[in-house]
Amino acid sequence: MLEHRLADDAPQLGLSLSAGGGEFKVWSASADEISLHILNPDNTSESLHVIELEKTEGDIFAAQDERLHQGMKYVLRAKGPEGSRHAFQPERNLLDPYAKGLVRESPKDYHCVAVDTEFDWQGVTKPGIALSESIIYEAHLRGLTRVNPAIPEEIRGSYAALGHPATIDYLKNLGITAIELLPIQALISEPRLINLGLINYWGYNTINFFTPHMRYAAEATRAQGPSAILKELKTAIRELHRAGIEVIMDVVYNHTAEGGHKGLTYSYRGLDNSNYYRQDDFGNYQDTTGCGNSLNFGNPMVQKLALDSLRYWTQELQIDGYRFDLAATLARDENNHFNPQHPLLLAMQQDPIISEAKLIMEPWDVGMGGWQTGNFPAGFPEWNDRFRDSVRKFWLSDIAHARNNGSHHNTVQELAGRISGSQDIMVDGSPLGSINFITAHDGFTLWDLVSHNVKHNSANGEGNRDGANNNLSFNHGFEGETPNPSINFARRKAARNLIGTLLLSAGVPMLTAGDERLKSQGGNNNAYCQDNVITWQNWEPNSHQSDFELTVSHLIALRKQYPALRPRGFAHIDEPTPEHDQMLWFSIRGDEMGLEDWHNPERRVLQRLSYHLMNDGSKQGLLLVINGQEQVSNVTLPRREGIGSFELLWDSALELPPKRTILLNPGSKLRMVEASMQLFLVR
């Protein structure tokens, strides 16, 4: 059995060039022979030179050769034993797993290119924004700019468009500190989708972990080749950094685009199917991803592949952070069990380069024991699906149930736990361990969440069978778009409640691109294959959508202005200190919450009073008042020593942020519109 730790002197794999040629190394524990083929640049179906690699210590196949040079096109070929766990095809061209540039010859055939990595960063460095200060914006690189009229048409939907001033100004005006890009590592679409005339738009189907996806470069750049593509992406990252915006990549190390055991062979399967992929002794893949295969992270060389890739992107492209798709698969040991002390996780924490990045986990996969929210070690913030579900229940499905059945399902206790940082889940960390979100790329958009009870995915070509059925959504009385003004007002208010809860909660907020303008996907909650107006960002908002965008930017500005909205540690009930904030809870009566208030699902009013100790020794206080029922509530504001008055900062019942100062006294009655929330500054 292979050792389960990487040696400190693990070899550098891939191509290393020098003035007199270069050195190439590739790993395979199963191959008998591996050769590197330098291709004819004018006819890549021909090999100009064949370099036989020598098998060395540690199952590394290596060669030094003066014919290795920048710009060359190359592939690998491998021979090995037959058997149920092997898939060697000696005449099949294979990609170098460490290639930094690719060229697509046909849907089934690619080759590698030795790229020029030189780039002038012009002295621009990473913004280095603390996680506690972060406002994350999840976006698809192509969809974000595909129809933005402020960007030249020839570069829309590209890396260049990402770094264009129009994109950067939009993000800055909204208040975003980090853009989290759906996968931009080289990817392909599944044959099934291509046969349907669709593509894998989201991109969770990686073919190489070191190369930027070619299609996201501008057309003129693609014509110049992989070195130019790399430069275009670096330029975008540099300009985002210049504006103080971080770049987080969604990375898909859990599986590859080679699919199930009958899938196409591009690289890993042809080099060492037996060791790259998790399978039983009979060659049956043990798939915990739902995508046909799972990389075997019980193998230290698979761990090394991911670590080397992360190190490359963090150093060479100056990436600020990562969101690890189906991260539970990455932490499965040699027995396929989730291990929070997995060597890969420990190596990330100990690596001086990788550990400086934000390392965000999607803490689940589809395998046995795959749901691991709250179980990753401190230092690995997690997408908090419990936050998503609890907030949706409180503002949508509970209200729908009460409208139809006269009663609510859930109490305010669950919501209080989520908006205070989910301490019951993030038991070993802090609120910063929770990446809070209401929507993400998969699932309903914010507007569809308040406009649809059921999914509408027929455009995906799967008979509406794909996508989640339990969305905790509420259409407010009509399915889909309607001209009814009262329904649309209720929907917009519900959307403000949801986004307000997100941005006023302890933890790290993540918005989904387009939600700030109430974008709809027509009820499609699984638009992974829709590269069209269904998914593209809306750059022609109507008046209500523009008003909502102003509300989102106002809430983000409030979060940035008031540290009491973004505590770094779990709050206590005693006086605030430099180590912790104070958080107190009050009922509709203005007194402290009692057992009945916490546990009776029909008591739907909650007041959260938060205090933060400022650097000058003063206390900053904020009061959040929530009315979670479809009836007007008269709320008594709490009385406490030191409170002179409450100044209204935001009211979700209003289409726009408040334009005049409203002050209320402690103990006074606050009339709250049905299903709404208000935020006050303590004076």
Side-chain angles (χ1 to χ4, degrees):
M1 179 165 297
L2 291 162
E3 291 288 336
H4 303 302
R5 293 182 62 85
L6 288 171
D8 293 335
D9 59 350
Q12 179 179 339
L13 299 179
L15 181 64
S16 302
L17 297 177
S18 59
E23 183 177 31
F24 182 83
K25 294 181 179 179
V26 64
W27 169 79
S28 174
S30 301
D32 297 323
E33 301 175 19
I34 299 180
S35 56
L36 185 151
H37 292 240
I38 300 177
L39 304 178
N40 182 340
D42 299 319
N43 181 5
T44 54
S45 63
E46 298 178 357
S47 297
L48 287 181
H49 307 286
V50 178
I51 302 172
E52 298 295 339
L53 307 182
E54 178 184 357
K55 191 167 188 176
T56 63
E57 185 179 357
D59 298 317
I60 305 297
F61 287 77
Q64 291 183 327
D65 198 288
E66 61 185 12
R67 293 170 292 183
L68 300 175
H69 63 275
Q70 185 177 293
M72 73 173 186
K73 300 178 179 181
Y74 70 101
V75 294
L76 303 176
R77 292 187 182 180
K79 297 179 181 179
E82 296 181 353
S84 57
R85 291 177 60 96
H86 300 298
F88 290 103
Q89 301 177 46
E91 301 305 314
R92 177 68 174 145
N93 289 343
L94 303 173
L95 298 178
D96 169 15
Y98 281 69
K100 309 304 189 297
L102 299 181
V103 171
R104 180 190 184 199
E105 297 290 345
S106 70
K108 297 182 180 181
D109 199 12
Y110 292 73
H111 63 253
C112 311
V113 178
V115 298
D116 177 5
T117 59
E118 289 296 316
F119 183 74
D120 182 7
W121 290 96
Q122 299 178 357
V124 177
T125 58
K126 297 181 182 182
I129 297 168
L131 191 61
S132 60
E133 313 295 312
S134 295
I135 310 288
I136 300 173
Y137 185 79
E138 189 199 34
H140 189 283
L141 185 138
R142 176 172 165 83
L144 179 63
T145 65
R146 184 64 185 84
V147 290
N148 186 347
I151 294 175
E153 186 173 1
E154 63 269 19
I155 67 168
R156 292 176 194 168
S158 70
Y159 299 125
L162 176 66
H164 190 275
T167 305
I168 292 173
D169 289 347
Y170 180 79
L171 296 174
K172 291 288 287 184
N173 291 336
L174 196 57
I176 300 305
T177 69
I179 184 166
E180 180 177 308
L181 298 171
L182 269 65
I184 62 170
Q185 292 173 333
L187 61 101
I188 61 173
S189 294
E190 297 86 337
R192 179 187 64 82
L193 288 176
I194 295 172
N195 291 336
L196 289 172
L198 301 169
I199 67 166
N200 189 321
Y201 172 71
W202 285 349
Y204 292 87
N205 206 41
T206 311
I207 192 175
N208 179 277
F209 298 112
F210 292 82
T211 302
H213 186 47
M214 300 79 78
R215 183 170 178 258
Y216 294 158
E219 184 176 359
T221 303
R222 294 199 302 270
Q224 297 174 52
S227 294
I229 294 172
L230 183 61
K231 184 177 181 180
E232 182 180 314
L233 174 55
K234 288 181 176 180
T235 301
I237 295 168
R238 183 188 66 199
E239 297 312 304
L240 285 161
H241 283 175
R242 196 192 303 275
I245 299 172
E246 294 186 323
V247 180
I248 297 172
M249 283 173 52
D250 198 331
V251 287
V252 192
Y253 295 115
N254 56 80
H255 76 281
T256 78
E258 292 186 312
H261 72 282
K262 293 184 179 180
L264 298 175
T265 295
Y266 293 99
S267 178
Y268 318 95
R269 176 178 287 130
L271 287 169
D272 196 342
N273 183 63
S274 179
N275 286 292
Y276 270 115
Y277 294 116
R278 194 179 291 278
Q279 53 190 295
D280 63 21
D281 291 340
F282 303 100
N284 300 307
Y285 279 15
Q286 297 172 334
D287 177 19
T288 60
T289 70
C291 300
N293 65 64
S294 299
L295 283 171
N296 181 13
F297 283 95
N299 187 316
M301 294 304 288
V302 176
Q303 299 166 29
K304 175 177 169 56
L305 175 71
L307 293 168
D308 288 347
S309 170
L310 291 169
R311 204 173 293 113
Y312 173 76
W313 286 91
T314 306
Q315 281 187 302
E316 187 62 42
L317 287 98
Q318 294 290 289
I319 293 296
D320 303 278
Y322 304 90
R323 178 265 190 188
F324 294 89
D325 181 64
L326 299 180
T329 291
L330 277 61
R332 288 184 179 270
D333 60 21
E334 63 275 14
N335 297 314
N336 212 5
H337 297 155
F338 175 80
N339 177 11
Q341 298 301 312
H342 192 283
L344 179 65
L345 302 181
L346 298 179
M348 289 183 194
Q349 290 181 315
Q350 296 164 4
D351 188 280
I353 296 166
I354 299 172
S355 62
E356 291 298 311
K358 293 176 173 66
L359 305 173
I360 299 169
M361 300 287 147
E362 183 184 38
W364 52 78
D365 63 19
V366 302
M368 292 290 291
W371 224 259
Q372 295 294 335
T373 305
N375 292 330
F376 280 80
F380 292 101
E382 304 172 33
W383 272 27
N384 189 348
D385 56 310
R386 288 276 298 279
F387 179 94
R388 174 199 65 198
D389 293 349
S390 297
V391 175
R392 288 185 181 189
K393 287 175 184 176
F394 186 84
W395 288 118
L396 298 178
S397 61
D398 268 11
I399 288 177
H401 189 270
R403 185 184 287 192
N404 296 323
N405 301 285
S407 63
H408 300 89
H409 272 310
N410 298 283
T411 67
V412 295
Q413 184 178 24
E414 173 73 10
L415 182 72
R418 299 302 142 249
I419 67 176
S420 59
S422 297
Q423 187 171 6
D424 58 326
I425 301 172
M426 309 298 165
V427 291
D428 293 326
S430 76
L432 304 182
S434 175
I435 303 297
N436 296 335
F437 65 106
I438 305 297
T439 66
H441 63 276
D442 53 343
F444 280 144
T445 66
L446 184 64
W447 184 247
D448 287 349
L449 197 62
V450 300
S451 305
H452 295 274
N453 284 349
V454 296
K455 65 188 181 184
H456 299 270
N457 296 355
S458 58
N460 298 347
E462 299 182 43
N464 206 38
R465 294 183 300 275
D466 61 308
N469 292 313
N470 182 21
N471 297 284
L472 302 172
S473 60
F474 178 34
N475 68 14
H476 292 83
F478 187 86
E479 185 69 9
E481 296 299 319
T482 175
N484 187 305
S486 61
I487 290 178
N488 283 325
F489 176 79
R491 288 175 175 178
R492 292 193 299 272
K493 180 158 60 69
R496 289 192 293 273
N497 289 333
L498 291 165
I499 209 75
T501 305
L502 173 66
L503 290 167
L504 302 179
S505 291
V508 182
M510 184 190 78
L511 294 83
T512 304
D515 279 352
E516 73 277 12
R517 287 183 169 174
L518 298 176
K519 175 176 172 51
S520 172
Q521 292 182 167
N524 192 325
N525 74 350
N526 190 36
Y528 74 102
C529 55
Q530 301 297 327
D531 182 15
N532 50 48
V533 293
I534 292 176
T535 53
W536 295 343
Q537 180 87 330
N538 173 25
W539 290 101
E540 296 180 348
N542 61 35
S543 60
H544 287 306
Q545 292 168 334
S546 295
D547 289 348
F548 194 85
E549 182 183 338
L550 289 173
T551 293
V552 173
S553 62
H554 175 70
L555 288 167
I556 291 175
L558 291 177
R559 185 177 182 88
K560 291 182 175 182
Q561 183 177 356
Y562 297 110
L565 293 174
R566 41 185 170 81
R568 294 187 296 272
F570 291 120
H572 295 205
I573 61 172
D574 52 359
E575 288 293 310
T577 70
E579 286 72 40
H580 66 77
D581 287 7
Q582 182 182 32
M583 196 172 287
L584 305 170
W585 305 92
F586 299 90
S587 73
I588 190 173
R589 305 176 302 276
D591 58 355
E592 292 189 8
M593 295 280 287
L595 286 176
E596 182 70 7
D597 299 309
W598 284 121
H599 298 298
N600 185 340
E602 300 314 312
R603 297 200 175 179
R604 301 276 292 177
V605 173
L606 181 68
Q607 301 189 71
R608 183 192 74 186
L609 182 60
S610 305
Y611 284 103
H612 177 83
L613 186 66
M614 304 296 284
N615 291 335
D616 62 3
S618 63
K619 291 197 303 183
Q620 178 192 92
L622 292 171
L623 178 68
L624 179 65
V625 188
I626 295 172
N627 177 22
Q629 55 196 349
E630 282 198 313
Q631 64 185 50
V632 173
S633 294
N634 292 307
V635 181
T636 301
L637 297 178
R639 297 178 183 268
R640 278 185 62 85
E641 183 179 348
I643 299 179
S645 63
F646 295 100
E647 178 185 347
L648 180 67
L649 298 178
W650 180 64
D651 182 353
S652 72
L654 304 176
E655 298 274 12
L656 287 167
K659 296 180 179 180
R660 61 187 180 90
T661 301
I662 298 176
L663 296 176
L664 297 174
N665 293 323
S668 62
K669 291 289 187 180
L670 170 66
R671 184 182 185 277
M672 291 198 71
V673 169
E674 61 274 8
S676 66
M677 58 195 304
Q678 297 186 28
L679 181 69
F680 295 89
L681 176 65
V682 176
R683 292 291 191 186

